[in-house]
Amino acid sequence: MAHVDLGSTPLIASMQKIGLALIGVGAIGLGAAYALHGQERFFADYLLGFWYFAGISVTMVFFSALQYLARAGWSASIRRIAENFTGFVPYIGIALIPIVINMLGHHSIYEWSHESAASDPILIKKAAYLNPTFFIVRLGLYALLWIGMVKYIVGNSVKQDTAGSDITPTKRNWKRSAPWVLVFAITITFASFDLLMSLEPHWFSTIWGVYAFAGHFAASLAIITLTLIALYKRGLMKQYITLEHFHDLGKLMFAFSVFWTYIAFSQYFIIWYANLPEETIYFDVRTSNGWELFGLLLVLFHFVLPFILLLRQDVKRKMAVLTVAAIVILISHFIDLVWIIMPAVSKVVGGTHMSANMMFGWSEFTGVVFFAGVFLFLAAKNYQKRSAVAVNDPLLNESLEYSS
Amino acid sequence: MSKSTIGVVGEFTDVNALTAAVAKVTDAGYQRWDVYTPYPVHGLDKTMKIKRSYLTYISFAGLLGGITTALGLQWWTGAVDYPLNIGGKQLFAWQFSVPIDFELSILGTALMTVMGLFHLCRLPTWYNKYQDDESFKKATDDTFVIAIDADDDRFSADNAQQFLRQLGAQNVHIVHAS
C-alpha cells in the first residue's frame, strides 16, 4: 500500500506552529518564573513539565513495543501515531541538563544533595544511592537506553514501510520487544524514583514506579485518542481508522484510569493503615494548607469522571465523550504531578511539625506549556519524515477488519 | 386432527445469502423468528436489529447490592454490634473498608451478570421446539436455518413459506409439533 504522507497537511502544519508557539510562551513563562519566584520554584516547574512529557513520550515507545510483544493486530494501523509521539525521546538527555545543574547548585530541590545531608542520620544511609555522581550516571543511562529503545522499536517499524514483502524488521521487533519492555519497566521505575520520589528523600514507597507508569500510560492513551479523533474528523487516514479502534482505546483509557486508582489507593491504604510517622508524612503534608483540594480533585479527575464517562459500552464509540474523557485524563495527570512535586518543594518545618505551603499559580503551567510545545513540534517533524500509517505491516489488514 | 404448526423453516448454505435474507426478514416486520447457525456469524445481531439487552442494569444492581452489603457488614459488625478495639484502630473507616467493598461489588456484579444472562437467555432450556426437524439438525453442522415462529402476529404458513422461497431458501417447509 502507498505511504500515507500527512507532513504537508494543515493539521500537521498547525501542530508544528502550535508547538513552536508553546515553546516560545513556555520559555518566556519559565524565564518569568525564574525571575519572579526564584530558582527553587523554577526548577520545580521545569521538572513538572519535563516529567509530564518525557514520561509520556517514553511510554509511547512502550505502547508500540507492547503491540509487537503481543503480536497485536488491532493496533497495526494506528500504532504509528504513538511512534510519532516519541520525537522528544532523543532530546531527553539535553532536557535533563538543567535538572543536573540544579542538583549540583546551592540548595537544590533535591534535599539529599544539600551539604546538611551528610549529618542527616537517614540520608547518610541512603548516600550510597542518592549522591550526585551516581544520580547523573543513572540519568544518563536512562536517556541512552530510551534512545536505544526508540531507535530499535520505532526504527524497525519504519524500516518495514519500505521492506516490501520481507517482514524481517517486524520479526525483529516481535523477538526483541520483550527485553525492551523489561528495560522500559526498570528505567521508568528508577527514573521515577530518582526524579520524583527523591524529592522526599526521607520517605519511600515501593509501588512508586507502577504508580508513575500507570499515570503516564493513561495520559499516553488519552493523547493517542485525541490525535486519532483529530485525524478522523479531518478525513485524514480515514480508510485506516475504524470505530473499533476508538472503542478499544476507550476501553484502555478506562482500564488504565482504574488501574492508576488501584495503585494510588494501594499506596495510600498501606500507609494509612500502618500509620508509621515516616511514611504518613507524605500524605500529611499533602492534606493540609489547601493541598487536600488537589488530592480530592485527583480522585475526581483520575477516577470518578473517567469511570462514569467511559463505563457504558456505546459511549466508547462517541467522539465527543472520548474527547472529554481524554482531556479529563490529561488534566488529572497534571494535577497528579503538581500534587507530588510542589508540596515537596514548598515544605517547611515549624517546630516539630512539618507542613507544605500552598504553591500553585501561573508558573506551574509554564514548564508544562514549554514541554508540550517541544513534544508537539518534534512529533510533527516525524509526520514530515515518514508515513503516518505502518502501511506495510503484516497485521495491517487484521487491524482494518477486526471487530471488538 | 392435524398436528399444530410450530413454524416455517428454510435452509441457506451461503453466509452472504443468509445475511441478505435476514435483513429482508427483519424489514418485513416479523417479531418472533430466529436464525440458527453452526457457528457465530459476526454482525448478524445488528442485521436482525436485536435490541440492546438490559443485562447491564442487572449487573449494576448486583454492584449496588455488593457494595451495600460490604459497607453495611463492616460497619455494623465492627462499630455497632461488637465494637472491638484492635491496636487503637478506628472501629470503622472508609479507608480500610475499600478492599472488601471492591471485592464484594465485583462478586455481586459477577453473580448478577451470570444469573441475569441465564434469565435473559431463558436458560436452562433442555429442548428447542424445532429440535426434531431435519433442517434444524443440519444447522449444527453445515447449514444456516431461518425459522419463523407460528406465534408471530403476521404468521401465515403459506405467506411465510413463499417469502422464504423468494429469499432463496432451500427445502422450505412447515414444522409440526411431534
Side-chain angles (χ1 to χ4, degrees):
Chain A
M1 274 187 249
H3 282 204
V4 182
D5 182 19
L6 300 182
S8 50
T9 56
L11 179 71
I12 301 305
S14 57
M15 186 169 162
Q16 196 162 19
K17 269 186 220 142
I18 291 170
L20 273 177
L22 291 177
I23 291 174
V25 172
I28 296 167
L30 279 171
Y34 190 91
L36 297 170
H37 293 323
Q39 62 136 352
E40 225 177 49
R41 190 160 171 188
F42 160 80
F43 281 117
D45 296 340
Y46 182 90
L47 177 67
L48 174 64
F50 167 77
W51 185 244
Y52 191 107
F53 284 102
I56 287 176
S57 42
V58 175
T59 309
M60 291 283 186
V61 201
F62 163 74
F63 179 84
S64 176
L66 189 63
Q67 309 311 315
Y68 280 110
L69 182 62
R71 316 283 196 273
W74 75 273
S75 57
S77 71
I78 61 159
R79 200 188 57 234
R80 188 56 55 79
I81 292 170
E83 288 167 351
N84 279 345
F85 275 120
T86 60
F88 177 39
V89 174
Y91 301 92
I92 283 178
I94 299 169
L96 277 167
I97 291 172
I99 292 168
V100 171
I101 291 173
N102 164 251
M103 194 264 312
L104 294 173
H106 177 68
H107 205 82
S108 79
I109 54 174
Y110 293 108
E111 194 186 335
W112 52 264
S113 72
H114 298 172
E115 277 172 25
S116 61
S119 53
D120 186 310
I122 291 174
L123 294 188
I124 197 103
K125 285 185 182 142
K126 296 189 180 183
Y129 184 82
L130 287 178
N131 65 72
T133 320
F134 195 24
F135 184 73
I136 294 168
V137 169
R138 284 196 308 268
L139 292 184
L141 197 65
Y142 307 146
L144 285 177
L145 284 169
W146 289 339
I147 291 173
M149 188 168 173
V150 170
K151 290 254 180 252
Y152 196 90
I153 299 288
V154 181
N156 275 327
S157 172
V158 173
K159 262 184 222 157
Q160 183 64 64
D161 288 359
T162 51
S165 56
D166 172 27
I167 61 161
T168 324
T170 301
K171 277 189 173 162
R172 274 198 198 114
N173 269 359
W174 283 348
K175 260 193 185 156
R176 301 276 179 254
S177 50
W180 276 119
V181 164
L182 191 64
V183 167
F184 168 81
I186 293 167
T187 50
I188 200 84
T189 303
F190 278 89
S192 69
F193 284 171
D194 290 346
L195 289 167
L196 294 194
M197 201 168 86
S198 84
L199 288 167
E200 300 267 10
H202 296 96
W203 180 80
F204 58 89
S205 165
T206 47
I207 209 169
W208 191 260
V210 191
Y211 179 82
F213 158 74
H216 284 323
F217 199 60
S220 301
L221 291 166
I223 288 179
I224 295 171
T225 309
L226 285 177
T227 315
L228 205 63
I229 290 171
L231 289 166
Y232 187 77
K233 285 245 156 120
R234 280 163 187 76
L236 305 162
M237 269 172 74
K238 200 148 201 174
Q239 68 271 37
Y240 294 104
I241 307 172
T242 66
L243 273 181
E244 313 297 328
H245 291 124
F246 289 106
H247 194 151
D248 277 346
L249 283 169
K251 280 188 235 170
L252 280 173
M253 281 202 291
F254 177 82
F256 278 88
S257 299
V258 175
F259 178 70
W260 176 91
T261 311
Y262 188 90
I263 301 302
F265 183 76
S266 301
Q267 178 175 284
Y268 173 74
F269 175 64
I270 287 169
I271 291 173
W272 180 87
Y273 216 167
N275 205 15
L276 302 171
E278 68 263 37
E279 289 179 354
T280 52
I281 186 71
Y282 177 84
F283 288 108
D284 200 22
V285 298
R286 277 164 185 76
T287 48
S288 54
N289 289 347
W291 288 114
E292 67 274 18
L293 180 69
F294 282 76
L296 289 173
L297 281 176
L298 198 51
V299 175
L300 184 68
F301 275 73
H302 223 315
F303 174 60
V304 179
L305 284 177
F307 188 85
I308 293 172
L309 281 169
L310 293 171
L311 183 61
R312 279 182 63 103
Q313 187 203 27
D314 50 350
V315 298
K316 297 184 194 89
R317 289 166 180 268
K318 290 185 182 134
M319 306 288 152
V321 182
L322 285 177
T323 309
V324 173
I327 292 170
V328 162
I329 289 171
L330 289 177
I331 294 173
S332 73
H333 194 45
F334 174 71
I335 299 173
D336 189 18
L337 291 182
V338 168
W339 199 57
I340 290 167
I341 295 172
M342 301 321 288
V345 177
S346 68
K347 237 178 354 195
V348 283
V349 184
T352 55
H353 186 68
M354 194 183 276
S355 65
N357 292 325
M358 177 44 71
M359 190 190 262
F360 184 75
W362 58 269
S363 76
E364 274 57 56
F365 294 93
T366 56
V368 173
V369 166
F370 178 75
F371 281 102
V374 174
F375 180 77
L376 287 177
F377 178 77
L378 293 169
K381 286 221 129 179
N382 278 337
Y383 279 96
Q384 290 157 359
K385 274 196 283 193
R386 51 173 94 127
S387 169
V389 177
V391 281
N392 210 9
D393 194 287
L395 299 174
L396 187 63
N397 281 330
E398 191 180 330
S399 169
L400 303 177
E401 283 169 6
Y402 87 109
S403 84
S404 68
Chain B
M1 192 184 106
S2 70
K3 290 172 184 170
S4 65
T5 307
I6 295 173
V8 166
V9 297
E11 297 173 11
F12 290 84
T13 45
D14 178 58
V15 70
N16 293 323
L18 173 84
T19 311
V22 165
K24 295 241 174 64
V25 180
T26 312
D27 291 342
Y30 284 107
Q31 297 297 318
R32 301 194 67 89
W33 64 291
D34 212 343
V35 187
Y36 301 97
T37 59
Y39 57 87
V41 178
H42 282 290
L44 208 56
D45 51 336
K46 276 183 195 146
T47 316
M48 290 174 77
K49 296 195 175 130
I50 293 176
K51 272 185 248 144
R52 203 182 143 83
S53 80
Y54 55 89
L55 182 63
T56 45
Y57 295 98
I58 300 177
S59 306
F60 190 68
L63 181 146
L64 292 180
I67 202 161
T68 313
T69 311
L71 282 167
L73 191 71
Q74 290 174 93
W75 166 77
W76 188 74
T77 55
V80 180
D81 189 44
Y82 203 88
L84 200 58
N85 186 333
I86 302 165
K89 303 284 184 205
Q90 282 145 286
L91 295 174
F92 179 78
W94 71 267
Q95 282 96 338
F96 73 63
S97 82
V98 166
I100 307 296
D101 302 342
F102 180 64
E103 299 297 346
L104 278 196
S105 52
I106 289 174
L107 183 68
T109 312
L111 287 178
M112 284 302 273
T113 305
V114 172
M115 290 194 289
L117 186 75
F118 269 67
H119 168 68
L120 291 176
C121 295
R122 304 200 187 99
L123 289 172
T125 303
W126 307 114
Y127 64 94
N128 185 298
K129 53 191 171 181
Y130 292 107
Q131 68 186 2
D132 294 325
D133 182 62
E134 284 308 314
S135 291
F136 184 82
K137 285 177 183 165
K138 278 199 254 173
T140 62
D141 180 18
D142 59 355
T143 304
F144 307 100
V145 170
I146 294 182
I148 300 175
D149 295 356
D151 50 4
D152 191 289
D153 292 342
R154 292 160 176 265
F155 183 84
S156 99
D158 294 338
N159 285 350
Q161 286 189 84
Q162 202 184 353
F163 182 53
L164 283 179
R165 279 197 195 101
Q166 267 173 18
L167 297 175
Q170 308 291 313
N171 192 18
V172 177
H173 59 274
I174 300 172
V175 179
H176 296 289
S178 50

